[in-house]
């Protein structure tokens, strides 16, 4: 009798699962398929072909996929190789608290995409729950003063290290990373700064006093360790995080994922001072063969504005973790991070770590998230190309997530010394 087992059937999305098949004919070739429906009814699919061993078993922890959406030994390949049925859809979990993503795993006979053989009959299937929040994590809607966001607190009495979580040019509020950080013992404030509720509908300036208010809000919470907080940020959010690290003494650990190291597009304002941006070099914008926009060229720095708008990161109070996808098509993030680390070295600073991943794209997410190669942005007329190679990007996400947690714990949890 053919059996498909997946353990555990319910887990956090950043946890691996063990997929195993027994009861096959020796050396039989089969297809494993995965499918997921998101909150907007968009479908995502993946598949891979496997050959059973001499006793009729397949174990994804040891056996190599022969073909399909990936090749080789990849125990979680069916998850990170999921692709949208409709091109340029990004998989995002909005309601992180009340429901998981459900992933259906099917075992089928060998199927061919040729002719009329694309359909296959499922031998057996299982449905998995992939959660973005662990039991005991609490979510608190934040509408205090000017602040708009959601605070996620880990289970337990605390205190916990605390971070502010920022995303980029799409606006709105993204909660999936914060809920997972809280599930791993790190309190996280998912903070919107435009395009959400009564915040500005368009980004026109970066008011650092708003982010200072958020830093103080987090530090006032009785379950948050002081005296410093962290910031984790992607894309435009990383530019803001870098500016926060320079100007706000509360920020002592900053994680910058594929972001610029100068001020671009919009001025930064803080306590009566205006820091002017470098204009985007729109003449270097490009499109790929599918017509998707690639923004990385517009960050070319031309003229005197470039040096004036580079953030004086040597003045920062804490430590930096730069995370770079070398195939980023949205930001020239490798060049930006190298410029920043060279500047820090020139000023005698060793308060930084650089993780640079060959083949990784712009949207480096928690582990086992599907690569989003391109997606729509409400402010751009055509989809954006984010870049990334599927296997390399998956490896970058898995490695960087571990390093993110280690970095935050190292720099945000006070050292405890015993007195003899």
């Amino acid at each position: 009798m053919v059996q498909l087992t997946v353990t555990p059937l319910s887990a956090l999305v950043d946890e691996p699962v063990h997929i195993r098949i027994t009861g096959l004919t020796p050396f039989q070739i089969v297809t494993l398929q995965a499918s997921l429906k998101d909150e907007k009814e968009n479908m995502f699919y993946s598949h891979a072909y496997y050959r059973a061993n001499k006793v009729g078993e397949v174990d994804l922890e040891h056996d190599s996929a022969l073909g399909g959406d990936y090749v080789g030994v990849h125990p979680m390949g069916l998850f990170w190789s999921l692709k949208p049925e409709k091109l340029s859809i990004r998989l995002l979990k909005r309601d992180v608290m009340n429901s998981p993503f459900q992933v259906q795993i099917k075992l089928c006979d060998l199927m061919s995409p040729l002719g009329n053989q694309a359909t296959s009959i499922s031998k057996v299937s299982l449905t998995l729950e992939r959660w973005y929040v662990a039991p005991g994590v609490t979510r608190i809607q934040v509408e205090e003063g000017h602040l708009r966001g959601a605070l996620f607190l880990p289970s337990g009495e605390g205190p916990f290290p605390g971070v502010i979580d920022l995303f980029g040019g799409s606006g709105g509020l993204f909660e999936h990373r914060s809920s997972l950080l809280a599930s791993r013992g790190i309190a996280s404030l998912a903070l919107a700064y435009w395009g959400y509720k009564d915040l500005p509908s368009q980004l026109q300036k970066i008011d650092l006093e708003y982010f200072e208010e958020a830093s103080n809000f987090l530090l006032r919470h009785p379950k948050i360790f002081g005296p410093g907080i962290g910031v984790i940020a992607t894309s435009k959010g990383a530019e803001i995080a870098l500016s926060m690290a320079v100007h706000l003494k509360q920020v002592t650990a900053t994680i910058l994922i594929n972001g610029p190291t100068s001020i671009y597009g919009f001025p930064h304002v803080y306590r009566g001072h205006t820091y002017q941006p470098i204009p985007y070099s729109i003449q270097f914008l490009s499109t790929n063969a599918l017509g998707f926009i690639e923004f990385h060229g517009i960050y070319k720095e031309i003229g005197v504005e470039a040096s004036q708008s580079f953030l004086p990161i040597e003045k920062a109070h804490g430590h930096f973790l730069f995370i770079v996808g070398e195939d980023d098509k949205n930001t020239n993030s490798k060049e930006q991070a190298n410029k920043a680390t060279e500047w820090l070295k020139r000023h005698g600073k060793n308060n930084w770590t650089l993780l640079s991943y060959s083949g990784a794209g712009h949207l480096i997410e928690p582990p086992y998230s599907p690569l989003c190669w391109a997606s729509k942005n409400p402010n751009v007329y055509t989809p954006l190309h984010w870049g990334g190679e599927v296997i390399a990007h998956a490896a970058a996400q898995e490695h960087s997530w571990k390093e993110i947690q280690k970095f935050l714990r190292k720099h945000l949890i006070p050292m405890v010394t015993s007195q003899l």
Side-chain angles (χ1 to χ4, degrees):
M1 179 180 174
V2 176
Q3 284 192 314
L4 169 66
T5 59
V6 183
T7 53
L9 283 172
S10 181
L12 290 173
V13 293
D14 64 353
E15 293 179 6
V17 297
H18 184 188
I19 301 176
R20 188 166 175 262
I21 309 163
T22 58
L24 298 171
T25 303
F27 309 114
Q28 180 180 351
I29 298 176
V30 293
T31 305
L32 274 172
Q33 299 175 307
S35 62
L36 178 154
K37 182 187 291 185
D38 74 6
E39 293 162 325
K40 295 184 177 181
E41 304 293 309
N42 297 303
M43 293 300 303
F44 293 75
Y45 296 99
S46 65
H47 73 282
Y49 306 119
Y50 286 89
R51 178 186 285 113
N53 62 16
K54 62 183 179 182
V55 294
E57 296 180 353
V58 175
D59 188 331
L60 268 60
E61 288 193 356
H62 309 293
D63 295 328
S64 177
L66 306 175
D69 289 316
Y70 57 92
V71 174
V73 180
H74 298 291
M76 293 295 289
L78 288 170
F79 296 83
W80 47 248
S81 68
L82 284 163
K83 298 182 297 299
E85 185 177 39
K86 300 175 183 176
L87 201 61
S88 71
I89 300 291
R90 181 180 178 184
L91 182 63
L92 273 176
K93 192 75 173 77
R94 296 295 186 179
D95 180 7
V96 296
M97 294 298 294
N98 298 308
S99 64
F101 275 142
Q102 294 190 333
V103 181
Q104 187 177 53
I105 306 292
K106 288 184 180 180
L107 173 65
C108 307
D109 290 322
L110 179 64
M111 68 174 190
S112 169
L114 305 176
N116 59 0
Q117 302 178 51
T119 59
S120 60
I121 299 174
S122 172
K123 289 178 176 292
V124 64
S125 67
L126 290 171
T127 300
L128 287 65
E129 293 183 342
R130 304 292 285 169
W131 288 90
Y132 280 79
V133 64
V137 170
T138 56
R139 178 190 183 276
I140 302 169
Q141 186 72 34
V142 175
E143 296 185 6
E144 180 174 313
H146 299 95
L147 301 180
R148 300 294 180 266
L151 175 62
F152 290 85
L153 294 172
S155 175
E157 294 301 315
F160 308 105
V163 302
I164 293 173
D165 185 8
L166 301 172
F167 280 84
S170 298
L173 182 64
F174 294 77
E175 302 182 14
H176 61 283
R177 189 164 60 194
S178 284
S179 62
L180 282 173
L181 285 170
S183 300
R184 299 302 176 197
I186 298 167
S188 185
L189 172 60
L191 186 65
Y193 55 97
W194 74 281
Y196 179 73
K197 295 200 170 184
D198 57 350
L199 293 174
S201 59
Q202 294 294 325
L203 195 59
Q204 296 179 330
K205 66 179 181 179
I206 304 299
D207 185 353
L208 286 174
E209 291 185 37
Y210 176 79
F211 301 94
E212 184 176 45
E213 184 180 347
S215 303
N216 292 332
F217 166 83
L218 202 53
L219 282 170
R220 283 197 306 269
H221 198 285
K223 288 192 174 185
I224 304 299
F225 274 126
I229 63 160
V231 184
I232 180 170
T234 299
S235 196
K236 186 68 175 181
E239 175 194 314
I240 297 169
L242 203 55
S243 195
M244 292 171 68
V246 170
H247 293 98
L248 307 181
K249 66 181 186 301
Q250 302 95 319
V251 177
T252 56
T254 308
I255 299 171
L256 307 151
I257 304 173
N258 287 331
T261 51
S262 296
I263 300 171
Y264 284 91
F266 308 99
H268 289 205
V269 179
Y270 184 57
R271 296 189 176 181
H273 296 280
T274 299
Y275 303 89
Q276 294 297 335
I278 304 171
Y280 292 120
S281 299
I282 298 298
Q283 67 271 28
F284 296 114
L285 185 147
S286 60
T287 57
N288 70 359
L290 295 175
F292 296 162
I293 289 181
E294 297 179 347
F295 274 127
H296 59 101
I298 72 173
Y299 291 94
K300 290 182 184 292
E301 297 175 358
I302 299 173
V304 67
E305 297 99 334
S307 59
Q308 292 176 345
S309 298
F310 181 70
L311 288 160
I313 54 178
E314 75 278 4
K315 297 180 181 179
H317 307 282
H319 292 77
F320 296 109
L321 174 60
F322 296 91
I323 297 176
V324 168
E326 296 182 8
D327 194 44
D328 185 351
K329 302 300 185 185
N330 187 255
T331 306
N332 60 344
S333 50
K334 184 178 181 180
E335 180 182 332
Q336 295 280 334
N338 286 339
K339 179 180 67 172
T341 54
E342 286 299 320
W343 183 267
L344 289 168
K345 285 191 284 187
R346 198 179 310 160
H347 286 81
K349 300 286 186 177
N350 61 358
N351 60 337
W352 56 273
T353 300
L354 171 61
L355 300 177
S356 191
Y357 297 102
S358 175
H362 184 70
L363 296 177
I364 296 178
E365 297 275 31
Y368 318 125
S369 301
L371 166 67
C372 181
W373 189 73
S375 68
K376 297 175 183 176
N377 182 301
N379 305 293
V380 183
Y381 63 90
T382 195
L384 305 185
H385 181 201
W386 304 113
E389 302 163 10
V390 176
I391 293 177
H393 191 88
Q397 292 186 148
E398 189 168 359
H399 182 265
S400 63
W401 187 241
K402 295 173 184 175
E403 295 303 309
I404 284 167
Q405 295 174 69
K406 286 195 293 187
F407 177 83
L408 292 173
R409 291 190 178 98
K410 178 179 179 180
H411 296 294
L412 297 180
I413 298 178
M415 294 291 290
V416 178
T417 56
S418 60
Q419 295 182 350
L420 299 178

